[in-house]
């Protein structure tokens, strides 16, 4: 992933721009009544069978990065979420698509707002069942045999989504650097050991 | 996967029993306004970061397979869906867990019922955000570079879920045998080529 400043990214000629956002919140809820889940992080199953963050292509001749992202969120989540320039996390060249810059944002909400997003996404969002096959929360904990974050990371992700998730989990202090290293190592093992049947 | 009749499975001493169901429907909706999606098939992202079907362990001293499954669905989906013995598809020994029999069911609904399930799952289901991280629809179509069913099948699944999905898609005529062979081959390639970053 080749990172650059947002300003440098915007000054590149003949590039397309995509914006995505990680919506997250703190929570006190307990899995099986015992295990603190601590944080909620939203991703989605995309039409193409890959996991990714909500968002999409922005047309800079008509909108800003942030207003374009809000428009995409309205379509995918059914809620006109405002994303501000302060929510910007990183800009980078897409790993596999020529001349595409991906801008990544993170927006902290509270738990009830996250639940409203999940509800709107399956009731009023235009893209539900089509471009978006479902919203999922990211497990940030560890169970036996790689259950939790490692197993989640062994799934298939679009473009930069997996590395954007990992760096955001670290920089916002949602998972420690040591736990992330363990999770990615276990995920790589699971990915290569388990032949899909 | 070692299949057996439901009767033989129930007669085995000292085995635990788990029941899961594939909820599905026909649809006329079009992806990007152009591509017929034809069918909706529901799966879920589980607490452990793996994809699976709704359901769980049944206690045969207290309930039948079908009433136990309905109880699990009430917890996970927020809807008391009745599953009948006629919806039974297969019974088999779990591949990795000793003394566990998994019973698989499939229940055809209509599109509006599926949407009610998706709504209840994020609003009233007890397990939402905990045992169940989100409901997802399975893409049954093919886009360029493996997008759609192949990419979906390259994700990580619990136990028999992936093989149950594949045989149900074939036996209910939702995807042709030829397309399924292509999808599994592409999925295996994607799984082994793409090192998670």
């Amino acid at each position: 992933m080749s990172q650059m400043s947002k300003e440098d990214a915007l000054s590149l000629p003949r590039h397309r721009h995509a914006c995505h956002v990680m919506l997250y919140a703190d929570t006190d809820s307990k899995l099986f009544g015992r295990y603190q889940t601590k944080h909620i992080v939203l991703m989605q199953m995309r039409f193409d069978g890959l996991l990714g963050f909500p968002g999409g292509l922005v047309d800079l001749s008509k909108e800003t990065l942030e207003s374009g992202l809000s428009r995409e969120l309205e379509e995918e989540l059914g809620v006109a979420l405002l994303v501000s320039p302060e929510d910007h996390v990183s800009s980078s060249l897409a790993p596999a698509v020529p001349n595409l810059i991906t801008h990544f944002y993170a927006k902290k909400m509270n738990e009830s707002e996250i639940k409203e997003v999940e509800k709107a996404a399956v009731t009023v969002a235009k893209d539900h069942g089509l471009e978006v096959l479902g919203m999922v929360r990211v497990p940030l904990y560890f169970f036996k045999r790689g259950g939790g974050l490692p197993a989640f990371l062994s799934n298939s992700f679009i473009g930069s989504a997996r590395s954007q998730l990992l760096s955001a989990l670290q920089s916002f202090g949602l998972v420690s650097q040591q736990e992330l290293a363990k999770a990615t190592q276990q995920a790589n093992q699971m990915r290569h050991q388990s032949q899909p049947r």
Side-chain angles (χ1 to χ4, degrees), chain A:
Chain A
M1 199 164 57
S2 163
Q3 288 210 10
M4 62 186 80
S5 74
K6 188 169 122 180
E7 291 65 34
D8 285 350
L10 289 174
S11 70
L12 285 173
R14 291 182 300 281
H15 278 66
R16 290 180 307 149
H17 296 265
C19 293
H20 296 88
V21 65
M22 181 177 99
L23 303 175
Y24 69 109
D26 294 332
T27 177
D28 286 328
S29 59
K30 289 183 175 147
L31 177 57
F32 302 124
R34 285 192 290 169
Y35 305 101
Q36 283 287 356
T37 54
K38 293 184 191 156
H39 312 286
I40 300 168
V41 169
L42 286 190
M43 293 190 80
Q44 64 188 16
M45 180 61 72
R46 297 157 36 104
F47 72 95
D48 56 8
L50 300 171
L51 291 164
F53 289 103
L57 285 173
V58 169
D59 182 351
L60 288 180
S61 71
K62 293 181 187 162
E63 55 197 356
T64 64
L65 291 175
E66 291 80 16
S67 62
L69 176 53
S70 293
R71 176 186 51 69
E72 286 284 346
L73 296 182
E74 168 95 57
E75 293 167 11
E76 296 185 354
L77 306 177
V79 185
L81 288 178
L82 290 179
V83 181
S84 77
E86 289 73 43
D87 299 323
H88 177 266
V89 175
S90 62
S91 298
S92 27
L93 277 168
V97 184
N99 300 319
L100 177 68
I101 311 271
T102 57
H103 303 272
F104 185 57
Y105 292 76
K107 183 179 170 73
K108 188 161 188 180
M109 311 175 76
N110 61 46
E111 187 169 4
S112 63
E113 290 170 328
I114 291 278
K115 286 181 178 172
E116 283 306 308
V117 167
E118 291 173 316
K119 181 181 176 182
V122 297
T123 50
V124 297
K126 181 174 82 61
D127 289 349
H128 173 58
L130 298 168
E131 271 122 290
V132 182
L133 299 177
M135 303 302 299
V136 300
R137 298 185 182 193
V138 179
L140 300 180
Y141 43 77
F142 293 76
F143 273 84
K144 58 184 178 183
R145 286 190 290 274
L149 185 57
F152 185 83
L153 293 174
S154 77
N155 286 304
S156 297
F157 294 79
I158 185 72
S160 312
R162 189 175 184 270
S163 57
Q164 287 168 337
L165 171 67
L166 290 169
S167 46
L169 291 180
Q170 184 178 332
S171 57
F172 295 110
L174 307 186
V175 180
S176 75
Q177 193 169 357
Q178 192 183 350
E179 286 177 315
L180 282 174
K182 175 181 152 197
T184 49
Q185 190 193 4
Q186 284 187 291
N188 290 348
Q189 283 171 4
M190 296 174 79
R191 182 94 183 169
H192 289 92
Q193 276 169 8
S194 64
Q195 174 90 15
R197 280 169 295 270

